Amino acid sequence: MREFMTSLREFVATHHPQLRHFLKVACIVLACAVVCEVVVFNFNHWRSLSWEPVTLNAKVDLQQTADGRYRVSAIDNDVEFEHLGVKVHNLRLDFSGNQGAQNVPVKIWFTDEAHATYFDDTEYTSGVPVTYVATNCEESEYLNLNSSGEMGKLRIQIGGEGTVYPLYLENIVINAPEPFGFNMTRVVLASFVMALVYAFRPRSSLYRIFLREHPRRSKIAVVGIVVAEIWLCASFTLMGSNLVGVATSSYNSGSWDGVSPINTFEVGGDNAQQYAELAKSMAHGKLYLEEEPPNWLQNMEDPYDRGARDQMVKETGENYLWDVAYYEGHYYVYFGVVPVVLFYLPFYLLTGANFPTAIGVILGMIAFVTGVSALLDRFARYHFKRVSVGLYLLLQIAVVSCSGMLYLLKFPTFYSLPIILALAFSVWGLYFWMLGRARRCPELFYFFGSLCMALVVGCRPQMVMLSFLAFPLFWRPFITEGHIKSAAGIRQFACLIAPYVLVVAGIMGYNYARFGSYLDFGANYNLTVNDMTKRGMAVGRIAPALFAYFFQPPSASGVFPYLQAAPFDTTYLGQTVKEPTFGGIFACLPLLWILPFAKSALQMRVRQRKTRTVAGVVGVLIASGIIIGVADAEVAGILQRYFADFSIMFLMAAVLIAFIMNENLDRRSALYGLFLRIMPVLVFVGVVYSVLLCFVAESGWWSDAYPWAYQSLLETFQFWT
């Protein structure tokens, strides 16, 4: 302890000016965030201070309870007030606190000096839209109204389809002053945004600290950003607690067993337990799921025809497992088997319980964030001379945020787990390869790198395309320089190849044991929305997929989180498998706009260094991204989570191009100054898009399971409503 305190005092003494400046900036940023919270985000409080509230309880004709509350039912949910004769600024629906939490739709009509009758949507105008009030969120109870002059009549319809009645109201008030609220979440978020803007401004000192010249300070910055990202990402995933599958006395307490400090529980229904059920089967010596398919499915001529299956369900009343592979009378899991071997089977053997998938997704996220940070650091620190901490952090944030990983965390299900593990294995595999290239005895690094890359086949087979990066990385030493002809070269090459042989042999054996074919993963036997056995390849599906995945502009609205599902139209006269998507990567991630300058940048690199390794890496990354995007659309469809299959490839190519430009542009030139000004903007737009995408309301997510909690989140950001 004494040695630690001595080291700490020495560090403070050595870096006293920098620490003093840091604390000064931190205090200013925090103060600005607090001022924003007090003045700007509480705008409605300050403007409503002078309003004279008018309670309308005397005019409410709803049934009253013994304790004076108003009872709203499905047949009595409409209240109307006449002859108000005042300017109405807002309306408060004061819901009673001692009732179940839910999100209640509220429809409002009114007359004013511009409308003698109630108005609503017409061909050319929009009426007062339906709004929502959460019964457990006071902030949502205040509804700002915008009438023209004095209001005459006011009609309020409380609730609608899906509302659980009865509801209980304490008061209905117009012109109600809004209370002051200090929201710590907004303060933290505002502080974070201001700190990022300050840190990455063009004249920031971060651009004067270089990874090579300041190894200690740069490594502290790298570790700091990694820790912050992991904490934020894990917090976001755990926020969607309906998908986590872990319970304690204070977290998901409704599923807590009341005894254990922490216990797991099943989430998402039978379909979500495929990996867990496969682990049980493996523990019992089987490769198929133990649940028996219904007899009607086994007797069907074509069990992969969804329409025919649905008809049999109606006739027999017996359901079947959705989105599993069905083959010769058994259910199989066609998703990669590595997550089962890595998490589910050991957990089941040790505890007898199902491994919580969301925890696996979080672990995959941690592995990906640390791996991609190490990989970028390796490239920046050892293959470029002048990469600053500022540029590294900027691009690292872009890759982590825009790779599609955040969307996988939004839905931490068995669909996301193999993808995020494939991302993690890929970046760690590339890191070990890069590490080995710089070592005199690289065999162990090559082996672990190839092992990671080979395990991708057992997670997300299409992402094995990243293994083709071995050609530009190892062609020169092994082929051009003839290293493969030496004993050491043969040994090293064997270490590169052996893990692929072992892993692929195991997976091929697993496939053969299930389906009688070494290359059949079982995806064609999937019981899903279309008959995969007859899907085939169709050229007509390629163009819509390329547009949706790469070029479609995002569709926006004026309401947080502003993004909405992009429209999809096609001239392909056949079945297209399509879930909601939110814009193509080249339209939504402006950092990728640097890729058209790849040829010029790579020519700079060739003039600087005669090897073409980086050019080969960039070429393989771009080609792999395009091939995987097309393959995903042809084999499966157009889905938002599939963006994570290929986004990382384009982002890593863009990072390399940015490093080359940073290396070769004259630091005193106007072009370099423009580069430093444009890069933060490009990254910022992509990060904002990716973060907002995480908060779009979707079926099966937190917004669907806990709409009242989601409404509270909306109120946090829509402070002016």
Side-chain angles (χ1 to χ4, degrees):
M1 186 65 180
R2 182 178 300 174
E3 293 179 357
F4 171 77
M5 294 303 297
T6 302
S7 300
L8 181 61
R9 282 193 292 268
E10 291 177 354
F11 178 81
V12 171
T14 305
H15 299 90
H16 178 71
Q18 293 91 334
L19 291 173
R20 183 177 179 182
H21 176 71
F22 174 81
L23 291 174
K24 178 181 177 181
V25 171
C27 290
I28 292 174
V29 166
L30 182 59
C32 290
V34 171
V35 169
C36 284
E37 175 64 23
V38 172
V39 178
V40 179
F41 300 147
N42 274 279
F43 164 75
N44 282 325
H45 165 73
W46 300 114
R47 80 182 184 112
S48 65
L49 282 178
S50 60
W51 295 348
E52 292 293 332
V54 179
T55 301
L56 301 179
N57 290 8
K59 300 180 180 181
V60 176
D61 58 358
L62 296 173
Q63 178 185 353
Q64 276 191 287
T65 62
D67 56 1
R69 297 184 298 167
Y70 295 97
R71 186 178 186 273
V72 182
S73 65
I75 59 174
D76 190 15
N77 66 342
D78 201 303
V79 293
E80 188 171 23
F81 307 98
E82 298 184 350
H83 312 299
L84 293 178
V86 295
K87 173 70 176 178
V88 177
H89 300 286
N90 75 351
L91 166 71
R92 184 189 181 189
L93 297 176
D94 184 9
F95 281 94
S96 177
N98 54 344
Q99 62 183 310
Q102 62 176 308
N103 216 26
V104 180
V106 175
K107 175 63 178 174
I108 296 173
W109 298 265
F110 59 78
T111 65
D112 55 20
E113 294 178 7
H115 305 87
T117 59
Y118 292 138
F119 60 94
D120 215 326
D121 295 348
T122 68
E123 183 179 0
Y124 302 107
T125 64
S126 294
V128 181
V130 174
T131 189
Y132 291 86
V133 177
T135 56
N136 64 338
C137 175
E138 182 182 1
E139 192 174 1
S140 70
E141 295 178 347
Y142 295 85
L143 308 175
N144 290 333
L145 300 180
N146 296 277
S147 62
S148 299
E150 293 183 354
M151 191 176 290
K153 295 195 297 181
L154 173 64
R155 178 187 168 196
I156 310 168
Q157 183 180 6
I158 305 171
E161 185 177 354
T163 301
V164 179
Y165 293 103
L167 297 167
Y168 295 96
L169 281 169
E170 297 282 357
N171 303 288
I172 298 180
V173 185
I174 57 175
N175 297 332
E178 293 197 23
F180 179 85
F182 192 87
N183 191 311
M184 186 56 68
T185 300
R186 278 196 303 238
V187 173
V188 172
L189 181 61
S191 301
F192 184 68
V193 172
M194 291 178 187
L196 288 179
V197 171
Y198 179 82
F200 294 111
R201 72 193 191 283
R203 295 184 179 275
S204 171
S205 60
L206 289 179
Y207 298 116
R208 298 191 294 273
I209 303 173
F210 298 97
L211 270 67
R212 278 197 173 188
E213 298 175 7
H214 308 89
R216 185 177 180 182
R217 293 164 68 183
S218 62
K219 287 178 181 178
I220 291 174
V222 172
V223 171
I225 198 67
V226 167
V227 170
E229 287 169 341
I230 289 174
W231 178 75
L232 289 171
C233 291
S235 299
F236 168 71
T237 304
L238 295 172
M239 178 188 72
S241 56
N242 64 301
L243 295 171
V244 173
V246 173
T248 69
S249 59
S250 58
Y251 180 74
N252 283 331
S253 54
S255 300
W256 183 48
D257 62 13
V259 178
S260 309
I262 182 170
N263 66 270
T264 63
F265 64 96
E266 294 183 3
V267 295
D270 293 336
N271 180 52
Q273 305 304 318
Q274 291 189 36
Y275 273 153
E277 293 303 315
L278 179 57
K280 294 177 184 177
S281 296
M282 285 182 167
H284 300 152
K286 304 171 184 175
L287 297 180
Y288 54 83
L289 302 185
E290 294 184 338
E291 181 171 338
E292 287 288 331
N295 288 330
W296 61 259
L297 185 64
Q298 301 181 47
N299 296 329
M300 285 185 70
E301 182 178 348
D302 183 6
Y304 308 108
D305 183 339
R306 183 187 181 180
R309 292 199 308 270
D310 291 347
Q311 182 62 34
M312 291 302 298
V313 170
K314 291 179 182 179
E315 293 178 5
T316 65
E318 292 182 274
N319 215 329
Y320 63 95
L321 288 184
W322 175 259
D323 211 9
V324 298
Y326 172 75
Y327 183 76
E328 295 186 350
H330 294 294
Y331 290 133
Y332 293 89
V333 176
Y334 68 90
F335 294 90
V337 71
V338 167
V340 179
V341 177
L342 194 62
F343 296 126
Y344 293 84
L345 184 57
F347 190 83
Y348 177 75
L349 292 175
L350 289 172
T351 67
N354 293 349
F355 177 75
T357 301
I359 302 303
V361 174
I362 292 175
L363 293 174
M365 174 272 295
I366 294 172
F368 172 70
V369 172
T370 54
V372 81
S373 302
L375 178 62
L376 294 183
D377 180 81
R378 184 74 195 178
F379 260 109
R381 197 179 298 271
Y382 295 96
H383 297 276
F384 296 91
K385 297 178 181 179
R386 300 288 293 175
V387 176
S388 65
V389 170
L391 182 64
Y392 169 86
L393 294 180
L394 197 64
L395 296 175
Q396 189 269 359
I397 291 171
V399 174
V400 168
S401 302
C402 304
S403 62
M405 181 201 68
L406 295 183
Y407 193 80
L408 300 178
L409 294 176
K410 180 179 182 179
F411 292 100
T413 65
F414 76 100
Y415 290 107
S416 298
L417 183 57
I419 302 177
I420 203 166
L421 286 180
L423 287 171
F425 281 129
S426 295
V427 294
W428 276 109
L430 291 172
Y431 173 73
F432 284 126
W433 277 355
M434 295 300 299
L435 210 59
R437 290 175 80 242
R439 299 299 175 97
R440 293 184 61 184
C441 298
E443 288 84 355
L444 199 58
F445 297 105
Y446 285 168
F447 182 87
F448 282 113
S450 292
L451 179 62
C452 289
M453 299 300 280
L455 288 172
V456 171
V457 181
C459 297
R460 190 73 172 165
Q462 55 266 57
M463 290 187 69
V464 78
M465 287 291 299
L466 279 173
S467 290
F468 285 96
L469 287 171
F471 286 96
L473 290 176
F474 299 114
W475 186 271
R476 181 174 60 86
F478 280 97
I479 306 301
T480 304
E481 298 176 359
H483 186 54
I484 197 171
K485 298 177 182 178
S486 66
I490 294 173
R491 186 172 62 252
Q492 293 166 16
F493 186 75
C495 289
L496 283 170
I497 296 299
Y500 282 99
V501 174
L502 295 173
V503 172
V504 172
I507 292 174
M508 291 174 69
Y510 174 67
N511 289 340
Y512 187 83
R514 297 184 301 162
F515 308 119
S517 171
Y518 295 112
L519 301 178
D520 193 343
F521 286 81
N524 282 343
Y525 311 124
N526 185 15
L527 300 179
T528 183
V529 295
N530 64 320
D531 188 342
M532 297 288 289
T533 63
K534 300 178 178 66
R535 180 174 174 83
M537 305 290 284
V539 175
R541 290 197 291 256
I542 294 177
L546 289 176
F547 180 70
Y549 276 145
F550 298 123
F551 304 112
Q552 183 165 33
S555 182
S557 70
V559 179
F560 182 86
Y562 310 115
L563 295 176
Q564 55 188 12
F568 180 78
D569 297 299
T570 179
T571 56
Y572 173 69
L573 302 183
Q575 187 179 43
T576 300
V577 178
K578 173 74 166 61
E579 290 185 1
T581 58
F582 300 86
I585 59 173
F586 286 100
C588 303
L589 307 178
L591 177 62
L592 301 184
W593 298 352
I594 200 174
L595 289 179
F597 302 98
K599 183 178 180 180
S600 299
L602 292 173
Q603 287 174 345
M604 295 179 187
R605 180 70 173 180
V606 171
R607 287 194 297 268
Q608 184 187 44
R609 294 189 177 188
K610 298 304 179 183
T611 64
R612 298 179 181 270
T613 302
V614 173
V617 169
V618 171
V620 170
L621 287 171
I622 295 175
S624 298
I626 295 172
I627 291 171
I628 290 177
V630 172
D632 277 349
E634 285 284 7
V635 175
I638 304 170
L639 288 74
Q640 186 63 42
R641 66 175 177 270
Y642 291 173
F643 280 72
D645 287 342
F646 52 80
S647 295
I648 184 69
M649 300 170 189
F650 293 100
L651 287 165
M652 289 197 296
V655 167
L656 290 175
I657 298 303
F659 283 165
I660 294 171
M661 289 183 171
N662 175 74
E663 191 87 356
N664 289 273
L665 293 177
D666 185 354
R667 277 170 164 66
R668 296 167 296 181
S669 67
L671 187 58
Y672 184 74
L674 181 64
F675 174 78
L676 287 185
R677 285 172 171 80
I678 288 179
M679 288 300 295
V681 176
L682 300 182
V683 171
F684 177 77
V685 172
V687 170
V688 169
Y689 164 81
S690 301
V691 171
L692 290 178
L693 180 57
C694 292
F695 292 101
V696 174
E698 294 188 72
S699 298
W701 185 53
W702 184 60
S703 58
D704 187 30
Y706 307 118
W708 56 91
Y710 183 68
Q711 186 64 36
S712 298
L713 177 70
L714 297 182
E715 296 294 335
T716 297
F717 291 96
Q718 296 181 144
F719 58 89
W720 58 88
T721 58

